[in-house]
Amino acid sequence: MGIVERKMRHKEEIRTGILEAAWHMVITDGWQSLSIRKIADAIEYSIPVIYNHFENKEAILLEFSKEGYQKLALTLNEAKKTVVSPTAQLEVMAVAYWDFAFENKEYYQLMFGLGIPACEMVNQVAEIKEMTSTLVSTIQEALVQTGNREADYFLKYHAYWSILHGLVSIQMIENSGKTDAFKKMILKDAINGFCKSLVL
């Protein structure tokens, strides 16, 4: 291995170490505990070394946020494959979304700490766009299936996501990030009603 390759590998190892140390802090003490100084202390490097890899703490948070959206997109797509009908897909995807939120609480709280991402952010971050596209395309397919081609799919998309995020957020606040079987039933009922609203 040449000098350049060794330097590149060493740089990648430091970057990985930074992210691993940061994630450990998050899991242990929450997002509010994260700081550049604490990360530097944890990996036993100076603060400037951290800044050589990440511009600031927000850049580290964005990295984790991207990971979260990527994981959520994969979860939704896997759920979507389990059924054929678009309206049924919306129902199983809603359950998968709920399960993801409570099985990956730290990711979810970072991803949606300020609510549903604005359109500008969706267009700028590929991982968010992929997840959003999965929801939008399924709603469009459902509108075609139900013959409701004149409906505003973008409006329906926001209504669908508002149900998901709203109920998840309420549950997280009420039960400190723990899931609840009855609230999950409420989610299923709400999404069932949403799917019926797609029919002309």
Side-chain angles (χ1 to χ4, degrees):
M1 182 182 293
I3 295 175
V4 174
E5 288 80 5
R6 281 200 298 271
K7 285 183 176 180
M8 290 295 293
R9 187 172 73 174
H10 181 60
K11 185 175 182 179
E12 186 58 33
E13 287 173 351
I14 294 175
R15 187 178 189 278
T16 299
I18 291 170
L19 293 174
E20 287 177 349
W23 186 248
H24 178 73
M25 289 177 196
V26 169
I27 294 297
T28 304
D29 300 312
W31 290 109
Q32 71 282 354
S33 69
L34 199 61
S35 74
I36 296 295
R37 181 175 296 280
K38 287 182 180 179
I39 295 171
D41 290 342
I43 65 173
E44 299 181 339
Y45 276 96
S46 65
I47 290 176
V49 170
I50 309 298
Y51 285 120
N52 284 338
H53 293 79
F54 296 96
E55 184 179 356
N56 47 38
K57 185 177 79 171
E58 285 66 35
I60 296 175
L61 295 178
L62 178 60
E63 191 70 21
F64 285 127
S65 184
K66 288 179 179 179
E67 285 183 13
Y69 280 109
Q70 192 172 41
K71 289 175 182 290
L72 179 54
L74 179 62
T75 297
L76 295 176
N77 279 308
E78 288 299 316
K80 184 175 180 177
K81 292 175 184 176
T82 62
V83 290
V84 177
S85 165
T87 50
Q89 288 173 342
L90 289 173
E91 293 184 358
V92 297
M93 286 164 65
V95 173
Y97 184 102
W98 175 279
D99 290 341
F100 172 87
F102 292 102
E103 290 169 6
N104 301 273
K105 182 182 68 173
E106 290 79 14
Y107 274 121
Y108 193 86
Q109 289 174 339
L110 174 63
M111 292 157 60
F112 300 108
L114 297 177
I116 295 174
C119 293
E120 300 79 35
M121 188 174 183
V122 171
N123 291 327
Q124 290 172 5
V125 181
E127 291 81 359
I128 302 179
K129 192 170 185 178
E130 180 185 359
M131 188 275 297
T132 302
S133 296
T134 299
L135 298 179
V136 170
S137 63
T138 308
I139 288 173
Q140 289 176 313
E141 291 159 8
L143 290 172
V144 171
Q145 176 198 20
T146 58
N148 194 0
R149 296 172 183 269
E150 300 301 316
D152 185 338
Y153 75 86
F154 195 62
L155 174 65
K156 295 295 184 182
Y157 153 71
H158 274 283
Y160 179 77
W161 201 358
S162 295
I163 293 170
L164 298 181
H165 180 60
L167 290 174
V168 166
S169 298
I170 291 170
Q171 181 60 24
M172 282 197 171
I173 292 170
E174 288 183 350
N175 288 292
S176 302
K178 297 178 182 178
T179 189
D180 179 279
F182 181 68
K183 295 294 175 58
K184 193 172 182 179
M185 288 174 61
I186 294 175
L187 171 76
K188 291 180 180 179
D189 187 65
I191 295 301
N192 180 262
F194 171 83
C195 290
K196 289 179 179 177
S197 77
L198 300 179
V199 181
L200 273 173

